[in-house]
Amino acid sequence: MSTTTNLPYHLPSKDFSTENRLTSQPSQKTILDLLNTKCSASLHYLKQVHAVALRTGHFQDHYVSGTLVKCYANPHFSNLDFALRVFEYVPNPNVFVFNIIIKGCLENNEPCKAIWCYYKMTVARARPNKFTYPTLLKACTVAEAAEEGSQAHAHVIKQGLSGDVHIRSAGIQMYGSFGEVEGARRMLDEDGNSDVICFNAMIDGYLKCGEVEAAKELFWSMEDKNVGSWNVMVSGMAKCGKIEEARELFNEMKEKNEISWSAMIDGYIKGGYYKEALVVFNVMQREKIRPRKFVLSSVLAACANVGALDQGRWIHAYVNKNSNSFDAVLGTALVDMYAKCGRLDMAWGVFEKMEKKEVFTWNAMICGLALHGRAEDAIELFFKMQNQNFRPNGITLLGVLSACAHSGMVDEGLNILNCMEEVYGIEPGMEHYGCVVDLLGRAGLLGEAEEVIYSMPMEPSAAVWGALLGACRKHGDVELGERVGKILLELEPQNSGRYALLSNIYARAGRWDDVENVRKLMKERAVKTSTGISMIDFDGVVHEFKMGDGSHPQMKHIYLMLKNMIKRLKMEGYSPNTSQVLFDIEEEDKEAELQYHSEKLAIAFGLINTKPGTTIHVVKNLRMCEDCHSAFKLISQVYDREIIVRDRARYHHFKTGTCSCKDFW
């Protein structure tokens, strides 16, 4: 078969390169030099060199054809299918060519194709070497191909390559990822020649499988630990929920690199310790450790969760100052941070300036708009995304459904659910149905919401029932709320929020005996209540407030401001909404209970410490109560302040006596 069939490239002109003009018969070395130096960034140039290799017959040479395949498989070009096509034309490919295409498949996130290429290699009787198996074993790891991985290990033994430490470390990682720590340990102990990288891989495998004690024993038994050994332990212990032990190890490290700091920051973030993550990042800055993009992305996630706008803006300025390009990951992290810190304008500014967007970038902006109740803008961006040839995924549609739910757009939301599979090829998941239940429930269509639950093709989760229970509280449906509440108390007996919602429904109806019965049930089951926490970012420091916690150094002044604030609001007609106080006590005591909610403490702090006219940003971990919502509308008018509150469900922008949610929340 001719190697030039179906490869219709134009031959280059005599002067296609000003630096390397090709003669009529360029040498193999010339073509290899061009491929290795000139073709990594230009697909057009690569095709020209390819044409010359075909014309001159050098494509028959495995070094030339293999290097051509390597260039086409460069992830920068996103051209793996063509690389595979070129590979198919290589005559009798040897191990060099096969290794290149296997590695190219893995680098393009196609591990199954890498395994398939290895299968072709065995059929072609091209003998694998020590460079083949590390890539193949990693491909099996990524593809979660346990059976194929075991077969590859058998081939390693058959080829007599089990002593190679690179193959061994890849095999240990593979077995660890499959949860087969015994197989991983056998590879480690096979002949006693394992190096520190193999030990690190074994420790990582133990920790991934939750075998903390075995990991600790192996770690402390190592004579030659390196910084990677400590990093694996810090990262793994944090992922196992041993965050305090991870921090102790981190503090013991005599040598830290950028990965060490990243491991500790990521550990805190994944455990929900966002303030602690920011503290570590600040120490990292004082140590003059230059953060890379993935660390900055992690820190931006922490900023987003606690509303640390000043810190997030500093990172944005740092990136600009140090000329780091906004790739899709870092740019998306900035979009998400600004949206979650209440600055949609700045989120939009970053989004518009990003040269390269991915689907997750569009998702971040759509979900940001949804969080702020900007449903029409979210839907407009959703269609714009499709016009620019980006295919929506499940998260995209979840963001649009959430936007509809927060704005009462019932028809639009139902239309999206009904056409998900037919139009977008996406089967609705639990989260999508939950969003629609929330949408119908908020709109007062409780019967329809219940029908959706019973029509779901899967067993409804506690989150779906929880959306309906929240709607029952909002609309005062005691009968349905009682029925749904009992289902939830069986599904999630330790979730204090479910008890609180059911108690609230009973309290609103004046059924205090039932309120007391729910409280007794909580005590019997030893259910721990969730503490309301509100945070406010001031001068780069996140201040945290809890009801009944007087530890803040300004608490005396905060209480005084709060007292004056409530007095002034009452003069303007404010009447505390005591319907959500879950105790059968005197009205005066109920008002006192409401006065010290954490978000009111945060607002009082903001009024004391910021200049008149300054916007006050508050982040709360739970849903804001109806009384605080009413009070904040009046505060925005009386004190002439814009107040932005992000609770667990959405954003509320209070300005001149109104809220952006239009009381639809």
Side-chain angles (χ1 to χ4, degrees):
M1 180 183 292
S2 171
T3 58
T4 59
T5 305
N6 296 326
L7 292 175
Y9 292 142
H10 297 294
L11 297 182
S13 66
K14 185 182 291 186
D15 295 323
F16 84 97
S17 168
T18 55
E19 298 179 19
N20 290 286
R21 291 192 172 96
L22 297 179
T23 63
S24 58
Q25 284 295 324
S27 67
Q28 177 211 45
K29 183 178 182 303
T30 300
I31 290 177
L32 285 172
D33 285 345
L34 287 169
L35 288 171
N36 289 318
T37 59
K38 300 292 182 181
C39 297
S40 59
S42 172
L43 187 59
H44 175 71
Y45 202 106
L46 173 59
K47 289 180 178 180
Q48 289 186 309
V49 176
H50 186 179
V52 172
L54 290 171
R55 188 191 68 186
T56 58
H58 286 305
F59 185 81
Q60 305 289 326
D61 182 273
H62 284 147
Y63 284 108
V64 173
S65 56
T67 307
L68 267 168
V69 172
K70 177 183 175 182
C71 291
Y72 279 118
N74 185 340
H76 172 74
F77 294 138
S78 300
N79 209 28
L80 178 64
D81 287 342
F82 197 83
L84 287 164
R85 185 180 168 196
V86 173
F87 168 75
E88 290 293 329
Y89 283 95
V90 177
N92 302 315
N94 64 1
V95 62
F96 171 75
V97 181
F98 272 110
N99 285 352
I100 281 173
I101 194 62
I102 291 170
K103 186 177 181 182
C105 289
L106 183 61
E107 288 177 342
N108 281 272
N109 199 29
E110 292 284 0
C112 292
K113 289 182 179 178
I115 297 169
W116 173 78
C117 287
Y118 175 74
Y119 168 74
K120 292 199 69 173
M121 184 180 189
T122 58
V123 171
R125 301 187 182 279
R127 186 181 178 87
N129 60 19
K130 65 178 183 178
F131 301 108
T132 309
Y133 289 106
T135 307
L136 177 64
L137 292 168
K138 186 174 180 181
C140 293
T141 303
V142 176
E144 300 180 359
E147 185 177 345
E148 290 80 359
S150 297
Q151 291 175 351
H153 183 197
H155 287 196
V156 167
I157 297 170
K158 186 177 179 181
Q159 298 287 348
L161 297 171
S162 55
D164 185 272
V165 291
H166 298 290
I167 295 174
R168 182 174 296 181
S169 64
I172 292 168
Q173 286 179 324
M174 179 190 73
Y175 279 120
S177 72
F178 296 155
E180 298 179 20
V181 289
E182 291 181 3
R185 189 61 192 250
R186 280 196 298 271
M187 286 196 80
L188 180 75
D189 297 335
E190 212 156 38
D191 57 14
N193 289 328
S194 295
D195 64 0
V196 66
I197 297 173
C198 295
F199 274 89
N200 293 350
M202 188 68 243
I203 292 169
D204 184 52
Y206 276 135
L207 290 168
K208 281 179 178 174
C209 296
E211 297 195 19
V212 175
E213 293 305 316
K216 288 163 69 173
E217 182 181 347
L218 184 60
F219 173 75
W220 292 116
S221 71
M222 288 174 64
E223 294 182 6
D224 299 319
K225 301 181 188 72
N226 62 11
V227 67
S229 313
W230 289 88
N231 290 344
V232 167
M233 281 296 292
V234 170
S235 179
M237 293 294 282
K239 287 175 182 175
C240 289
K242 308 283 185 181
I243 195 70
E244 291 182 4
E245 290 186 56
R247 185 59 191 265
E248 288 174 7
L249 284 165
F250 180 78
N251 291 340
E252 283 185 47
M253 291 178 70
K254 294 179 181 178
E255 177 191 354
K256 297 183 180 77
N257 60 15
E258 198 259 349
I259 295 173
S260 314
W261 293 91
S262 176
M264 195 67 247
I265 290 168
D266 280 340
Y268 272 134
I269 290 170
K270 285 169 183 170
Y273 300 94
Y274 304 113
K275 285 181 65 179
E276 290 80 357
L278 292 178
V279 169
V280 173
F281 179 70
N282 290 334
V283 175
M284 179 183 177
Q285 291 301 103
R286 288 200 294 272
E287 295 286 332
K288 296 183 179 178
I289 306 295
R290 186 183 176 93
R292 296 184 185 175
K293 287 187 293 187
F294 57 85
V295 177
L296 295 175
S297 297
S298 295
V299 177
L300 285 169
C303 294
N305 277 281
V306 299
L309 179 62
D310 289 343
Q311 185 89 61
R313 292 181 71 173
W314 182 90
I315 292 172
H316 191 175
Y318 176 88
V319 174
N320 285 333
K321 181 180 178 181
N322 289 276
S323 300
N324 287 337
S325 59
F326 284 125
D327 66 359
V329 173
L330 188 55
T332 301
L334 274 169
V335 169
D336 185 61
M337 181 276 298
Y338 278 129
K340 288 180 177 174
C341 287
R343 292 302 302 268
L344 266 181
D345 56 331
M346 300 184 84
W348 184 256
V350 174
F351 178 80
E352 285 286 272
K353 289 178 182 177
M354 286 177 63
E355 293 181 3
K356 185 175 181 181
K357 299 180 180 73
E358 300 289 349
V359 171
F360 54 78
T361 311
W362 292 86
N363 289 351
M365 196 66 238
I366 288 169
C367 291
L369 290 165
L371 192 64
H372 288 262
R374 299 270 290 274
E376 292 180 357
D377 292 331
I379 292 171
E380 182 181 342
L381 193 61
F382 172 61
F383 287 115
K384 183 178 179 181
M385 168 189 185
Q386 295 171 71
N387 290 336
Q388 295 193 16
N389 297 320
F390 285 92
R391 187 175 180 81
N393 59 20
I395 296 172
T396 319
L397 294 165
L398 188 63
V400 177
L401 285 171
S402 176
C404 293
H406 287 312
S407 299
M409 300 174 71
V410 175
D411 292 339
E412 292 83 349
L414 291 175
N415 285 337
I416 288 170
L417 179 72
N418 292 332
C419 71
M420 274 181 65
E421 201 160 359
E422 184 179 342
V423 176
Y424 301 106
I426 298 169
E427 187 177 345
M430 188 76 73
E431 299 86 354
H432 301 100
Y433 283 109
C435 236
V436 172
V437 170
D438 188 35
L439 165 65
L440 293 168
R442 287 173 187 267
L445 303 171
L446 302 183
E448 289 86 339
E450 189 176 15
E451 285 179 17
V452 168
I453 291 178
Y454 286 114
S455 70
M456 288 168 56
M458 71 282 288
E459 194 70 25
S461 67
V464 175
W465 286 114
L468 183 56
L469 185 63
C472 292
R473 179 202 61 80
K474 177 180 174 64
H475 296 286
D477 192 326
V478 182
E479 183 183 345
L480 180 59
E482 186 172 39
R483 185 152 41 90
V484 174
K486 288 178 180 177
I487 293 171
L488 276 166
L489 297 192
E490 291 302 314
L491 286 174
E492 292 187 326
Q494 294 300 311
N495 188 329
S496 63
R498 309 308 187 192
Y499 295 87
L501 265 178
L502 183 57
S503 295
N504 190 268
I505 291 169
Y506 285 141
R508 272 190 163 185
R511 292 171 56 174
W512 296 108
D513 289 342
D514 290 316
V515 172
E516 185 58 30
N517 288 335
V518 173
R519 292 175 62 81
K520 283 180 182 177
L521 185 60
M522 287 183 73
K523 288 181 181 178
E524 289 171 8
R525 294 178 173 179
V527 179
K528 295 181 180 179
T529 57
S530 300
T531 304
I533 301 172
S534 292
M535 292 166 285
I536 183 169
D537 180 25
F538 177 67
D539 278 350
V541 177
V542 177
H543 297 260
E544 191 172 279
F545 298 94
K546 302 175 187 176
M547 186 174 175
D549 179 10
S551 62
H552 195 279
Q554 288 184 268
M555 194 53 76
K556 183 178 178 180
H557 299 290
I558 290 169
Y559 281 150
L560 182 61
M561 168 58 80
L562 195 56
K563 183 178 179 181
N564 293 332
M565 187 173 75
I566 298 298
K567 183 178 179 180
R568 188 169 172 185
L569 292 183
K570 285 185 175 181
M571 290 174 63
E572 296 292 333
Y574 165 67
S575 178
N577 182 347
T578 58
S579 65
Q580 287 183 275
V581 178
L582 306 181
F583 301 96
D584 188 13
I585 55 179
E586 296 296 326
E587 196 69 18
E588 185 177 341
D589 294 327
K590 289 184 179 182
E591 291 185 16
E593 177 83 11
L594 291 170
Q595 182 173 328
Y596 297 106
H597 279 190
S598 63
E599 55 265 56
K600 287 194 179 83
L601 295 172
I603 292 294
F605 171 86
L607 290 172
I608 291 170
N609 291 283
T610 60
K611 295 177 182 178
T614 305
T615 300
I616 299 175
H617 294 258
V618 175
V619 174
K620 186 177 181 182
N621 65 326
L622 303 177
R623 287 207 51 182
M624 182 167 42
C625 75
E626 290 182 19
D627 178 72
C628 286
H629 190 269
S630 299
F632 290 174
K633 286 197 292 184
L634 199 53
I635 291 169
S636 70
Q637 181 176 321
V638 171
Y639 288 88
D640 192 23
R641 293 289 194 109
E642 185 174 354
I643 299 170
I644 301 176
V645 180
R646 187 185 92 208
D647 69 9
R648 188 178 61 189
R650 63 167 297 159
Y651 257 100
H652 299 268
H653 292 245
F654 300 95
K655 190 174 183 180
T656 61
T658 62
C659 180
S660 59
C661 74
K662 300 175 184 175
D663 297 337
F664 188 84
W665 61 291

